[in-house]
Amino acid sequence: MPLRPELADEAPYGAPQLDVPVLLNVNENPYAPPADVVATIAREVAAAAGGLNRYPDRDFPALRADLADYLAAESGVRVAPEGVWAANGSNEVMLHLLQAFGGPGRTAVSFAPTYSMYPEYARDTHTRWVTARRADDFTLDVGRAVATIEAEQPSVVLLASPNNPTGTALPAAAVEAVLDAAARVQVPDAPEAGGRRAGAVVVVDEAYAEFRRPGTPSALELLADHPNLAVTRTMSKAFAAAGLRLGYLAADPRLVDALRVVRLPYHLSAVTQAAARGALAHRDALLAQVAELRAQRDELVAWLRGRRHGGRELRVADTDANFALFGTFADRHAVWQGLLERGVLIRETGPAGWLRVSVGTPAENAAFRTALTEVLAEDVAGDTAHVTNEQEG
Ligand SMILES: *Cc1c(COP(=O)(O)O)cnc(C)c1O
């Protein structure tokens, strides 16, 4: 078949979906929606079902207003509904961003290790993909980030905060330094105004923002001063609605208008819009577990930091998300496999030697701790000393 040559050796993206008792591999919220939330969603969807002979509202103003209200309650930052955009998961939102602002002859920049879907959006939109390394502790090396932006003159810069798979959140000063460097870019084929070409769009992917520790800022606070900033969020993680497929962003309304050009007509079904609004009406109940998950996360990190392996303590990256990256193991696959044999599925991802575990219910976290204790006692993991900190993930 006449497949595009750059797709020839590509496999579909996705973590293994295995039937295992303890699923700690894709950073979902482990708690199912409570019965009253399910009832509201069912009622809203039933009402939408009565109008399914019609196409849905293309611009879904009611859902955008609900999302703006949610952001104001969660972060204290009020954005206009016209500055909110949504799609089937924040993955589709970010694809819209690359469709509008990337493209042939253009470059997107990010900082590895980071989310492994980003290069796929670039590939699918024929955008050149460039990464620079993060610092060894996975924070952003601001000097290197600014130098990379100056050298590459990208039209899009992607920053995940908290980052996946490391959990690292960015301080406001780091995001501002990137925004300033991006504003100084002159994208070669961009429109000109006042004698200079437009700068790069900066996307801050805040899929895990609700899990940030007290004092960690949201990039939403920077929106008012930065028309080229887009902050993406999702209902898949903290909001306990990964199955819904609803991601969104906040940005200047002019940026949102550009995304309306590239979206497919009626991309957000009436059923999705109704279900999302039903879930958002219960935001307090759905977010009630987030504080508990944060506390469980901190406990899990402290426990992991107390483990010894190969004569040294395990390393655990500081995390503001609902997962932790830990290691390092000469044979991480053996550790992953040992956990799987004990009914615990985690994710073999990130830089060489590291593994990522999502925070589950207290019972699931206990099962993980028991299984990992057994696996480390078996000493299948090899000697930590052989692992170099290669950042390929
Ligand atoms: C899970 C995740 C998302 C969310 O994807 P959805 O399409 O909204 O489910 C976005 N970015 C990162 C870094 C993630 O880990």
Side-chain angles (χ1 to χ4, degrees):
M1 288 181 200
L3 190 65
R4 283 168 49 194
E6 62 272 34
L7 301 183
D9 297 317
E10 298 281 273
Y13 173 86
Q17 290 186 311
L18 304 176
D19 190 13
V20 166
V22 180
L23 292 172
L24 300 176
N25 65 328
V26 287
N27 304 338
E28 295 152 331
N29 187 320
Y31 296 105
D36 58 335
V37 182
V38 173
T40 305
I41 292 172
R43 198 173 59 237
E44 296 287 330
V45 168
L52 283 181
N53 55 313
R54 301 292 178 194
Y55 281 112
D57 191 317
R58 275 191 304 256
D59 290 315
F60 45 91
L63 174 58
R64 289 159 84 185
D66 286 356
L67 289 166
D69 285 346
Y70 169 73
L71 287 178
E74 196 275 333
S75 71
V77 178
R78 167 61 63 184
V79 294
E82 299 74 37
V84 174
W85 182 244
N88 298 282
S90 54
N91 269 281
E92 188 180 13
V93 170
M94 288 187 274
L95 184 62
H96 286 166
L97 285 161
L98 269 286
Q99 287 175 319
F101 300 111
R106 292 184 162 199
T107 300
V109 162
S110 191
F111 305 95
T114 192
Y115 190 37
S116 47
M117 275 304 296
Y118 298 157
E120 299 207 8
Y121 316 144
R123 178 199 69 199
D124 292 348
T125 58
H126 306 268
T127 308
R128 185 173 153 259
W129 176 244
V130 174
T131 54
R133 281 176 53 129
R134 287 171 171 257
D136 284 340
D137 63 357
F138 307 128
T139 58
L140 194 67
D141 179 331
V142 173
R144 189 183 294 154
V146 169
T148 304
I149 292 166
E150 286 170 351
E152 301 292 345
Q153 297 285 294
S155 60
V156 178
V157 180
L158 281 158
L159 296 173
S161 179
N163 185 41
N164 181 6
T166 65
T168 321
L170 295 173
V175 180
E176 284 180 298
V178 167
L179 282 164
D180 290 345
R184 289 194 301 273
V185 170
Q186 296 204 50
V187 177
D189 60 349
E192 220 180 71
R196 69 182 307 288
R197 298 201 181 271
V201 166
V202 176
V203 181
V204 181
D205 176 357
E206 292 195 345
Y208 300 96
E210 288 91 343
F211 296 106
R212 65 194 188 275
R213 291 173 289 183
T216 303
S218 163
L220 290 169
E221 294 165 28
L222 303 171
L223 275 176
D225 299 323
H226 297 280
N228 283 15
L229 170 63
V231 182
T232 63
R233 294 274 186 117
T234 181
M235 293 177 74
S236 296
K237 307 287 164 57
F239 219 86
L244 175 61
R245 307 308 300 132
L246 199 290
Y248 56 103
L249 64 67
D252 189 290
R254 287 167 294 179
L255 189 153
V256 170
D257 280 344
L259 305 180
R260 293 171 62 220
V261 174
V262 297
R263 60 117 175 84
L264 293 172
Y266 318 108
H267 70 290
L268 209 54
S269 85
V271 171
T272 300
Q273 294 180 37
R277 295 196 66 206
L280 284 163
H282 290 271
R283 67 175 181 235
D284 295 337
L286 283 170
L287 291 180
Q289 275 105 7
V290 170
E292 189 214 314
L293 289 168
R294 270 195 245 115
Q296 289 279 322
R297 180 253 335 263
D298 293 339
E299 260 178 47
L300 187 65
V301 168
W303 181 84
L304 282 166
R305 287 197 169 132
R307 293 313 94 197
R308 295 187 68 80
H309 168 64
R312 66 180 72 188
E313 280 178 6
L314 286 186
R315 292 172 65 193
V316 187
D318 283 333
T319 174
D320 278 275
N322 65 336
F323 56 82
L325 190 73
F326 66 100
T328 54
F329 306 107
D331 188 354
R332 72 171 176 185
H333 184 73
V335 178
W336 179 85
Q337 187 71 43
L339 292 170
L340 185 59
E341 282 159 12
R342 289 164 178 81
V344 179
L345 180 62
I346 68 167
R347 189 85 188 267
E348 191 177 353
T349 188
W354 294 81
L355 291 165
R356 192 192 71 193
V357 60
S358 312
V359 176
T361 63
E364 290 170 331
N365 300 333
F368 166 73
R369 290 194 296 265
T370 302
L372 185 65
T373 302
E374 288 177 19
V375 171
L376 295 185
E378 268 187 2
D379 201 25
V380 293
D383 186 350
T384 51
H386 297 307
V387 176
T388 56
N389 192 12
E390 267 176 65
Q391 298 188 4
E392 52 182 25

